[in-house]
Amino acid sequence: MHDSHPMSIDELRAFLRSSQALVFSGRSRTQTYAWIERTLRQYEFLHRPRAEKGLLRQYVQKLTGLSAAQLTRLIAQFRETRQVRTHPYQRHCFARKFTRADQLLLAQVDQAHGQLSGPATVAILRREYQIFSRSAFARLSTISVSHLYNLRQSKVYRMHTTHVTQTKSATVQYAQRRRPDPQGRPGYLRVDTVHQGDRDRVKGVYHINTIDAVTQWEIVGCVGQISERALVPVLQDLLEQYPFVIRGFHTDNGSEFINQVVAHLLNKLLIEF
């Protein structure tokens, strides 16, 4: 906007009345602030009566599209410095209390002690400085537990530490891995599964072979597929056919037998698995 010839107060009042339906905005913040500063100087804003100041505020606010609060701050800046300027953004950075050397020292302590818990590590750092008078621990002796974990997440710390946690296998105890000990008594069965084989792309059946370890009494069952639904009824039928009490059930590590359903069946019959 070019307004090298300022309008009178009456002309400003007429302009505001005639432009109520119009909306103005500046191209950029720098240009807008420069125009505000020039306008306030041209109209000698600071020396105007209160009513005329209000009219000038309406005029500036109308042409810039700024809010009343924004314009109030800019006028306060002009009153103090006789300028209206943008403040460059400066990101606030907190002072770094613990240095790279402290992070490396913490990494050495954790490597030596196996990365203990936060409170235990803080106690070690304080003892190093307060009891053993090691000046390198002066800053670390004042660290809090929460900030200790922050340092452990830093890039410097992680580059100088190696913490390996071995995977813990989830074992489910369904049976005992040991050979049967019948001591001359019948009732200890050895169980195995034999696949008949396929023919003309037709899946063959599975033979469930059970044999007593002492008497060599053998009973064979047959299932169409290896599944809990098909296997459990056949096993129950095989166990009922033996003329003596079944005391043990010994099989290989096949998943068709080592599972929760078969273990529940044998436990119900009080058979050692």
PDB file of all heavy atoms in Angstrom, residues 172-176 232 235-236 239 246-249 257-273:
ATOM      1  N   VAL A 172       7.436 -75.118  28.892  1.00  0.00           N
ATOM      2  CA  VAL A 172       6.212 -75.610  29.517  1.00  0.00           C
ATOM      3  C   VAL A 172       6.455 -77.066  29.886  1.00  0.00           C
ATOM      4  O   VAL A 172       6.753 -77.900  29.018  1.00  0.00           O
ATOM      5  CB  VAL A 172       5.002 -75.484  28.561  1.00  0.00           C
ATOM      6  CG1 VAL A 172       3.755 -76.019  29.231  1.00  0.00           C
ATOM      7  CG2 VAL A 172       4.828 -74.043  28.136  1.00  0.00           C
ATOM      8  N   GLN A 173       6.350 -77.398  31.157  1.00  0.00           N
ATOM      9  CA  GLN A 173       6.674 -78.724  31.650  1.00  0.00           C
ATOM     10  C   GLN A 173       5.442 -79.619  31.544  1.00  0.00           C
ATOM     11  O   GLN A 173       4.517 -79.540  32.341  1.00  0.00           O
ATOM     12  CB  GLN A 173       7.150 -78.642  33.112  1.00  0.00           C
ATOM     13  CG  GLN A 173       7.726 -79.929  33.645  1.00  0.00           C
ATOM     14  CD  GLN A 173       9.076 -80.243  33.042  1.00  0.00           C
ATOM     15  OE1 GLN A 173       9.740 -79.368  32.546  1.00  0.00           O
ATOM     16  NE2 GLN A 173       9.485 -81.496  33.097  1.00  0.00           N
ATOM     17  N   TYR A 174       5.431 -80.452  30.483  1.00  0.00           N
ATOM     18  CA  TYR A 174       4.341 -81.417  30.346  1.00  0.00           C
ATOM     19  C   TYR A 174       4.766 -82.807  30.841  1.00  0.00           C
ATOM     20  O   TYR A 174       3.935 -83.599  31.243  1.00  0.00           O
ATOM     21  CB  TYR A 174       3.904 -81.539  28.877  1.00  0.00           C
ATOM     22  CG  TYR A 174       3.181 -80.313  28.362  1.00  0.00           C
ATOM     23  CD1 TYR A 174       3.576 -79.706  27.183  1.00  0.00           C
ATOM     24  CD2 TYR A 174       2.100 -79.780  29.053  1.00  0.00           C
ATOM     25  CE1 TYR A 174       2.907 -78.601  26.700  1.00  0.00           C
ATOM     26  CE2 TYR A 174       1.432 -78.672  28.577  1.00  0.00           C
ATOM     27  CZ  TYR A 174       1.835 -78.075  27.399  1.00  0.00           C
ATOM     28  OH  TYR A 174       1.171 -76.982  26.934  1.00  0.00           O
ATOM     29  N   ALA A 175       6.056 -83.129  30.719  1.00  0.00           N
ATOM     30  CA  ALA A 175       6.528 -84.464  31.065  1.00  0.00           C
ATOM     31  C   ALA A 175       7.949 -84.384  31.590  1.00  0.00           C
ATOM     32  O   ALA A 175       8.587 -83.337  31.533  1.00  0.00           O
ATOM     33  CB  ALA A 175       6.464 -85.389  29.846  1.00  0.00           C
ATOM     34  N   GLN A 176       8.477 -85.517  32.083  1.00  0.00           N
ATOM     35  CA  GLN A 176       9.847 -85.605  32.556  1.00  0.00           C
ATOM     36  C   GLN A 176      10.691 -86.340  31.519  1.00  0.00           C
ATOM     37  O   GLN A 176      10.286 -87.381  30.995  1.00  0.00           O
ATOM     38  CB  GLN A 176       9.903 -86.362  33.885  1.00  0.00           C
ATOM     39  CG  GLN A 176       9.171 -85.653  35.017  1.00  0.00           C
ATOM     40  CD  GLN A 176       9.256 -86.425  36.311  1.00  0.00           C
ATOM     41  OE1 GLN A 176       9.962 -87.439  36.401  1.00  0.00           O
ATOM     42  NE2 GLN A 176       8.555 -85.954  37.327  1.00  0.00           N
ATOM     43  N   VAL A 232      -6.405 -88.403  20.841  1.00  0.00           N
ATOM     44  CA  VAL A 232      -6.765 -88.652  22.236  1.00  0.00           C
ATOM     45  C   VAL A 232      -7.757 -89.805  22.387  1.00  0.00           C
ATOM     46  O   VAL A 232      -7.560 -90.690  23.249  1.00  0.00           O
ATOM     47  CB  VAL A 232      -7.302 -87.357  22.878  1.00  0.00           C
ATOM     48  CG1 VAL A 232      -7.888 -87.647  24.254  1.00  0.00           C
ATOM     49  CG2 VAL A 232      -6.190 -86.339  22.987  1.00  0.00           C
ATOM     50  N   LEU A 235      -5.791 -93.085  21.928  1.00  0.00           N
ATOM     51  CA  LEU A 235      -4.920 -93.359  23.077  1.00  0.00           C
ATOM     52  C   LEU A 235      -5.712 -93.877  24.264  1.00  0.00           C
ATOM     53  O   LEU A 235      -5.303 -94.830  24.945  1.00  0.00           O
ATOM     54  CB  LEU A 235      -4.164 -92.085  23.470  1.00  0.00           C
ATOM     55  CG  LEU A 235      -2.956 -91.696  22.632  1.00  0.00           C
ATOM     56  CD1 LEU A 235      -2.350 -90.403  23.163  1.00  0.00           C
ATOM     57  CD2 LEU A 235      -1.908 -92.794  22.634  1.00  0.00           C
ATOM     58  N   GLN A 236      -6.833 -93.266  24.506  1.00  0.00           N
ATOM     59  CA  GLN A 236      -7.660 -93.700  25.638  1.00  0.00           C
ATOM     60  C   GLN A 236      -8.142 -95.135  25.429  1.00  0.00           C
ATOM     61  O   GLN A 236      -8.162 -95.940  26.367  1.00  0.00           O
ATOM     62  CB  GLN A 236      -8.840 -92.743  25.801  1.00  0.00           C
ATOM     63  CG  GLN A 236      -9.611 -92.932  27.089  1.00  0.00           C
ATOM     64  CD  GLN A 236     -10.579 -91.784  27.333  1.00  0.00           C
ATOM     65  OE1 GLN A 236     -10.734 -90.905  26.493  1.00  0.00           O
ATOM     66  NE2 GLN A 236     -11.224 -91.800  28.482  1.00  0.00           N
ATOM     67  N   LEU A 239      -5.148 -97.612  25.986  1.00  0.00           N
ATOM     68  CA  LEU A 239      -4.815 -97.797  27.400  1.00  0.00           C
ATOM     69  C   LEU A 239      -5.822 -98.703  28.096  1.00  0.00           C
ATOM     70  O   LEU A 239      -5.465 -99.480  28.999  1.00  0.00           O
ATOM     71  CB  LEU A 239      -4.746 -96.437  28.108  1.00  0.00           C
ATOM     72  CG  LEU A 239      -3.645 -95.482  27.625  1.00  0.00           C
ATOM     73  CD1 LEU A 239      -3.755 -94.133  28.324  1.00  0.00           C
ATOM     74  CD2 LEU A 239      -2.258 -96.077  27.842  1.00  0.00           C
ATOM     75  N   ILE A 246      -1.747 -99.347  33.905  1.00  0.00           N
ATOM     76  CA  ILE A 246      -0.708 -98.591  33.214  1.00  0.00           C
ATOM     77  C   ILE A 246      -0.112 -97.595  34.206  1.00  0.00           C
ATOM     78  O   ILE A 246      -0.813 -96.766  34.787  1.00  0.00           O
ATOM     79  CB  ILE A 246      -1.279 -97.869  31.985  1.00  0.00           C
ATOM     80  CG1 ILE A 246      -1.961 -98.867  31.046  1.00  0.00           C
ATOM     81  CG2 ILE A 246      -0.181 -97.120  31.251  1.00  0.00           C
ATOM     82  CD1 ILE A 246      -1.064 -99.965  30.549  1.00  0.00           C
ATOM     83  N   ARG A 247       1.200 -97.693  34.390  1.00  0.00           N
ATOM     84  CA  ARG A 247       1.879 -96.828  35.352  1.00  0.00           C
ATOM     85  C   ARG A 247       2.759 -95.764  34.682  1.00  0.00           C
ATOM     86  O   ARG A 247       3.010 -94.723  35.284  1.00  0.00           O
ATOM     87  CB  ARG A 247       2.762 -97.685  36.285  1.00  0.00           C
ATOM     88  CG  ARG A 247       1.989 -98.671  37.149  1.00  0.00           C
ATOM     89  CD  ARG A 247       2.928 -99.422  38.079  1.00  0.00           C
ATOM     90  NE  ARG A 247       2.220-100.283  39.007  1.00  0.00           N
ATOM     91  CZ  ARG A 247       1.849-101.526  38.752  1.00  0.00           C
ATOM     92  NH1 ARG A 247       2.141-102.079  37.576  1.00  0.00           N
ATOM     93  NH2 ARG A 247       1.204-102.248  39.650  1.00  0.00           N
ATOM     94  N   GLY A 248       3.242 -96.042  33.493  1.00  0.00           N
ATOM     95  CA  GLY A 248       4.131 -95.092  32.827  1.00  0.00           C
ATOM     96  C   GLY A 248       3.852 -95.007  31.344  1.00  0.00           C
ATOM     97  O   GLY A 248       3.357 -95.951  30.725  1.00  0.00           O
ATOM     98  N   PHE A 249       4.158 -93.872  30.801  1.00  0.00           N
ATOM     99  CA  PHE A 249       3.909 -93.605  29.374  1.00  0.00           C
ATOM    100  C   PHE A 249       5.139 -92.908  28.834  1.00  0.00           C
ATOM    101  O   PHE A 249       5.424 -91.759  29.178  1.00  0.00           O
ATOM    102  CB  PHE A 249       2.664 -92.716  29.243  1.00  0.00           C
ATOM    103  CG  PHE A 249       2.150 -92.561  27.837  1.00  0.00           C
ATOM    104  CD1 PHE A 249       1.214 -93.436  27.318  1.00  0.00           C
ATOM    105  CD2 PHE A 249       2.597 -91.521  27.037  1.00  0.00           C
ATOM    106  CE1 PHE A 249       0.732 -93.295  26.035  1.00  0.00           C
ATOM    107  CE2 PHE A 249       2.119 -91.370  25.749  1.00  0.00           C
ATOM    108  CZ  PHE A 249       1.188 -92.254  25.240  1.00  0.00           C
ATOM    109  N   PHE A 257       2.403 -86.045  21.023  1.00  0.00           N
ATOM    110  CA  PHE A 257       2.238 -86.553  22.384  1.00  0.00           C
ATOM    111  C   PHE A 257       2.581 -85.508  23.441  1.00  0.00           C
ATOM    112  O   PHE A 257       1.950 -85.468  24.498  1.00  0.00           O
ATOM    113  CB  PHE A 257       3.105 -87.804  22.590  1.00  0.00           C
ATOM    114  CG  PHE A 257       2.718 -88.955  21.717  1.00  0.00           C
ATOM    115  CD1 PHE A 257       3.566 -89.388  20.716  1.00  0.00           C
ATOM    116  CD2 PHE A 257       1.507 -89.597  21.884  1.00  0.00           C
ATOM    117  CE1 PHE A 257       3.222 -90.456  19.907  1.00  0.00           C
ATOM    118  CE2 PHE A 257       1.148 -90.665  21.078  1.00  0.00           C
ATOM    119  CZ  PHE A 257       2.004 -91.090  20.082  1.00  0.00           C
ATOM    120  N   ILE A 258       3.607 -84.710  23.181  1.00  0.00           N
ATOM    121  CA  ILE A 258       4.027 -83.710  24.171  1.00  0.00           C
ATOM    122  C   ILE A 258       3.159 -82.481  24.001  1.00  0.00           C
ATOM    123  O   ILE A 258       3.520 -81.516  23.321  1.00  0.00           O
ATOM    124  CB  ILE A 258       5.516 -83.364  24.004  1.00  0.00           C
ATOM    125  CG1 ILE A 258       6.364 -84.645  23.957  1.00  0.00           C
ATOM    126  CG2 ILE A 258       5.980 -82.450  25.135  1.00  0.00           C
ATOM    127  CD1 ILE A 258       6.274 -85.477  25.206  1.00  0.00           C
ATOM    128  N   ASN A 259       2.002 -82.504  24.592  1.00  0.00           N
ATOM    129  CA  ASN A 259       1.086 -81.359  24.543  1.00  0.00           C
ATOM    130  C   ASN A 259       0.181 -81.407  25.750  1.00  0.00           C
ATOM    131  O   ASN A 259       0.146 -82.393  26.508  1.00  0.00           O
ATOM    132  CB  ASN A 259       0.279 -81.338  23.235  1.00  0.00           C
ATOM    133  CG  ASN A 259      -0.519 -82.610  23.018  1.00  0.00           C
ATOM    134  OD1 ASN A 259      -1.461 -82.890  23.737  1.00  0.00           O
ATOM    135  ND2 ASN A 259      -0.114 -83.396  22.004  1.00  0.00           N
ATOM    136  N   GLN A 260      -0.573 -80.363  25.912  1.00  0.00           N
ATOM    137  CA  GLN A 260      -1.398 -80.196  27.118  1.00  0.00           C
ATOM    138  C   GLN A 260      -2.536 -81.206  27.175  1.00  0.00           C
ATOM    139  O   GLN A 260      -2.889 -81.696  28.246  1.00  0.00           O
ATOM    140  CB  GLN A 260      -1.953 -78.773  27.141  1.00  0.00           C
ATOM    141  CG  GLN A 260      -2.709 -78.427  28.411  1.00  0.00           C
ATOM    142  CD  GLN A 260      -3.148 -76.977  28.436  1.00  0.00           C
ATOM    143  OE1 GLN A 260      -2.962 -76.266  27.467  1.00  0.00           O
ATOM    144  NE2 GLN A 260      -3.722 -76.548  29.535  1.00  0.00           N
ATOM    145  N   VAL A 261      -3.104 -81.565  26.019  1.00  0.00           N
ATOM    146  CA  VAL A 261      -4.259 -82.459  26.013  1.00  0.00           C
ATOM    147  C   VAL A 261      -3.857 -83.867  26.451  1.00  0.00           C
ATOM    148  O   VAL A 261      -4.517 -84.490  27.294  1.00  0.00           O
ATOM    149  CB  VAL A 261      -4.906 -82.478  24.610  1.00  0.00           C
ATOM    150  CG1 VAL A 261      -6.070 -83.464  24.574  1.00  0.00           C
ATOM    151  CG2 VAL A 261      -5.375 -81.088  24.229  1.00  0.00           C
ATOM    152  N   VAL A 262      -2.767 -84.412  25.876  1.00  0.00           N
ATOM    153  CA  VAL A 262      -2.303 -85.739  26.260  1.00  0.00           C
ATOM    154  C   VAL A 262      -1.854 -85.743  27.721  1.00  0.00           C
ATOM    155  O   VAL A 262      -2.118 -86.703  28.469  1.00  0.00           O
ATOM    156  CB  VAL A 262      -1.161 -86.178  25.329  1.00  0.00           C
ATOM    157  CG1 VAL A 262      -0.573 -87.510  25.794  1.00  0.00           C
ATOM    158  CG2 VAL A 262      -1.661 -86.294  23.896  1.00  0.00           C
ATOM    159  N   ALA A 263      -1.175 -84.690  28.161  1.00  0.00           N
ATOM    160  CA  ALA A 263      -0.754 -84.608  29.559  1.00  0.00           C
ATOM    161  C   ALA A 263      -1.955 -84.612  30.490  1.00  0.00           C
ATOM    162  O   ALA A 263      -1.923 -85.257  31.554  1.00  0.00           O
ATOM    163  CB  ALA A 263       0.084 -83.344  29.765  1.00  0.00           C
ATOM    164  N   HIS A 264      -3.015 -83.931  30.119  1.00  0.00           N
ATOM    165  CA  HIS A 264      -4.223 -83.912  30.957  1.00  0.00           C
ATOM    166  C   HIS A 264      -4.851 -85.297  31.028  1.00  0.00           C
ATOM    167  O   HIS A 264      -5.313 -85.733  32.098  1.00  0.00           O
ATOM    168  CB  HIS A 264      -5.206 -82.896  30.390  1.00  0.00           C
ATOM    169  CG  HIS A 264      -6.504 -82.840  31.137  1.00  0.00           C
ATOM    170  ND1 HIS A 264      -6.618 -82.328  32.415  1.00  0.00           N
ATOM    171  CD2 HIS A 264      -7.751 -83.261  30.788  1.00  0.00           C
ATOM    172  CE1 HIS A 264      -7.869 -82.413  32.817  1.00  0.00           C
ATOM    173  NE2 HIS A 264      -8.585 -82.980  31.844  1.00  0.00           N
ATOM    174  N   LEU A 265      -4.875 -85.998  29.894  1.00  0.00           N
ATOM    175  CA  LEU A 265      -5.439 -87.351  29.879  1.00  0.00           C
ATOM    176  C   LEU A 265      -4.654 -88.280  30.787  1.00  0.00           C
ATOM    177  O   LEU A 265      -5.228 -89.031  31.592  1.00  0.00           O
ATOM    178  CB  LEU A 265      -5.447 -87.881  28.443  1.00  0.00           C
ATOM    179  CG  LEU A 265      -5.805 -89.369  28.267  1.00  0.00           C
ATOM    180  CD1 LEU A 265      -7.240 -89.628  28.706  1.00  0.00           C
ATOM    181  CD2 LEU A 265      -5.595 -89.804  26.818  1.00  0.00           C
ATOM    182  N   LEU A 266      -3.328 -88.262  30.697  1.00  0.00           N
ATOM    183  CA  LEU A 266      -2.504 -89.156  31.516  1.00  0.00           C
ATOM    184  C   LEU A 266      -2.551 -88.788  32.990  1.00  0.00           C
ATOM    185  O   LEU A 266      -2.541 -89.662  33.863  1.00  0.00           O
ATOM    186  CB  LEU A 266      -1.064 -89.129  31.005  1.00  0.00           C
ATOM    187  CG  LEU A 266      -0.876 -89.606  29.555  1.00  0.00           C
ATOM    188  CD1 LEU A 266       0.589 -89.483  29.145  1.00  0.00           C
ATOM    189  CD2 LEU A 266      -1.365 -91.041  29.381  1.00  0.00           C
ATOM    190  N   ASN A 267      -2.607 -87.508  33.275  1.00  0.00           N
ATOM    191  CA  ASN A 267      -2.713 -87.095  34.687  1.00  0.00           C
ATOM    192  C   ASN A 267      -4.035 -87.555  35.290  1.00  0.00           C
ATOM    193  O   ASN A 267      -4.100 -87.929  36.471  1.00  0.00           O
ATOM    194  CB  ASN A 267      -2.585 -85.578  34.801  1.00  0.00           C
ATOM    195  CG  ASN A 267      -1.169 -85.105  34.534  1.00  0.00           C
ATOM    196  OD1 ASN A 267      -0.216 -85.858  34.738  1.00  0.00           O
ATOM    197  ND2 ASN A 267      -1.027 -83.871  34.082  1.00  0.00           N
ATOM    198  N   LYS A 268      -5.090 -87.526  34.470  1.00  0.00           N
ATOM    199  CA  LYS A 268      -6.388 -87.957  34.970  1.00  0.00           C
ATOM    200  C   LYS A 268      -6.390 -89.441  35.300  1.00  0.00           C
ATOM    201  O   LYS A 268      -7.063 -89.900  36.232  1.00  0.00           O
ATOM    202  CB  LYS A 268      -7.469 -87.628  33.942  1.00  0.00           C
ATOM    203  CG  LYS A 268      -8.870 -87.921  34.401  1.00  0.00           C
ATOM    204  CD  LYS A 268      -9.903 -87.396  33.411  1.00  0.00           C
ATOM    205  CE  LYS A 268      -9.740 -88.067  32.055  1.00  0.00           C
ATOM    206  NZ  LYS A 268     -10.828 -87.643  31.112  1.00  0.00           N
ATOM    207  N   LEU A 269      -5.593 -90.213  34.536  1.00  0.00           N
ATOM    208  CA  LEU A 269      -5.497 -91.650  34.765  1.00  0.00           C
ATOM    209  C   LEU A 269      -4.360 -92.015  35.726  1.00  0.00           C
ATOM    210  O   LEU A 269      -4.060 -93.206  35.924  1.00  0.00           O
ATOM    211  CB  LEU A 269      -5.286 -92.373  33.437  1.00  0.00           C
ATOM    212  CG  LEU A 269      -6.418 -92.207  32.403  1.00  0.00           C
ATOM    213  CD1 LEU A 269      -6.029 -92.886  31.085  1.00  0.00           C
ATOM    214  CD2 LEU A 269      -7.718 -92.763  32.934  1.00  0.00           C
ATOM    215  N   LEU A 270      -3.692 -91.002  36.273  1.00  0.00           N
ATOM    216  CA  LEU A 270      -2.580 -91.216  37.212  1.00  0.00           C
ATOM    217  C   LEU A 270      -1.455 -92.000  36.581  1.00  0.00           C
ATOM    218  O   LEU A 270      -0.867 -92.898  37.214  1.00  0.00           O
ATOM    219  CB  LEU A 270      -3.072 -91.890  38.513  1.00  0.00           C
ATOM    220  CG  LEU A 270      -4.179 -91.143  39.301  1.00  0.00           C
ATOM    221  CD1 LEU A 270      -4.580 -91.948  40.515  1.00  0.00           C
ATOM    222  CD2 LEU A 270      -3.710 -89.760  39.665  1.00  0.00           C
ATOM    223  N   ILE A 271      -1.145 -91.696  35.337  1.00  0.00           N
ATOM    224  CA  ILE A 271      -0.074 -92.377  34.608  1.00  0.00           C
ATOM    225  C   ILE A 271       1.121 -91.458  34.549  1.00  0.00           C
ATOM    226  O   ILE A 271       1.013 -90.290  34.192  1.00  0.00           O
ATOM    227  CB  ILE A 271      -0.537 -92.764  33.189  1.00  0.00           C
ATOM    228  CG1 ILE A 271      -1.733 -93.745  33.267  1.00  0.00           C
ATOM    229  CG2 ILE A 271       0.601 -93.381  32.384  1.00  0.00           C
ATOM    230  CD1 ILE A 271      -2.310 -94.106  31.926  1.00  0.00           C
ATOM    231  N   GLU A 272       2.285 -92.001  34.891  1.00  0.00           N
ATOM    232  CA  GLU A 272       3.521 -91.219  34.858  1.00  0.00           C
ATOM    233  C   GLU A 272       3.896 -90.903  33.418  1.00  0.00           C
ATOM    234  O   GLU A 272       3.941 -91.782  32.564  1.00  0.00           O
ATOM    235  CB  GLU A 272       4.631 -92.020  35.533  1.00  0.00           C
ATOM    236  CG  GLU A 272       5.929 -91.278  35.663  1.00  0.00           C
ATOM    237  CD  GLU A 272       7.003 -92.149  36.295  1.00  0.00           C
ATOM    238  OE1 GLU A 272       7.646 -92.928  35.558  1.00  0.00           O
ATOM    239  OE2 GLU A 272       7.161 -92.059  37.537  1.00  0.00           O
ATOM    240  N   PHE A 273       4.146 -89.616  33.141  1.00  0.00           N
ATOM    241  CA  PHE A 273       4.406 -89.172  31.770  1.00  0.00           C
ATOM    242  C   PHE A 273       5.870 -88.735  31.679  1.00  0.00           C
ATOM    243  O   PHE A 273       6.264 -87.787  32.336  1.00  0.00           O
ATOM    244  CB  PHE A 273       3.460 -87.991  31.446  1.00  0.00           C
ATOM    245  CG  PHE A 273       3.444 -87.598  29.996  1.00  0.00           C
ATOM    246  CD1 PHE A 273       3.913 -88.468  29.015  1.00  0.00           C
ATOM    247  CD2 PHE A 273       2.979 -86.363  29.618  1.00  0.00           C
ATOM    248  CE1 PHE A 273       3.893 -88.113  27.690  1.00  0.00           C
ATOM    249  CE2 PHE A 273       2.950 -85.987  28.283  1.00  0.00           C
ATOM    250  CZ  PHE A 273       3.401 -86.861  27.332  1.00  0.00           C
TER     251      PHE A 273
END
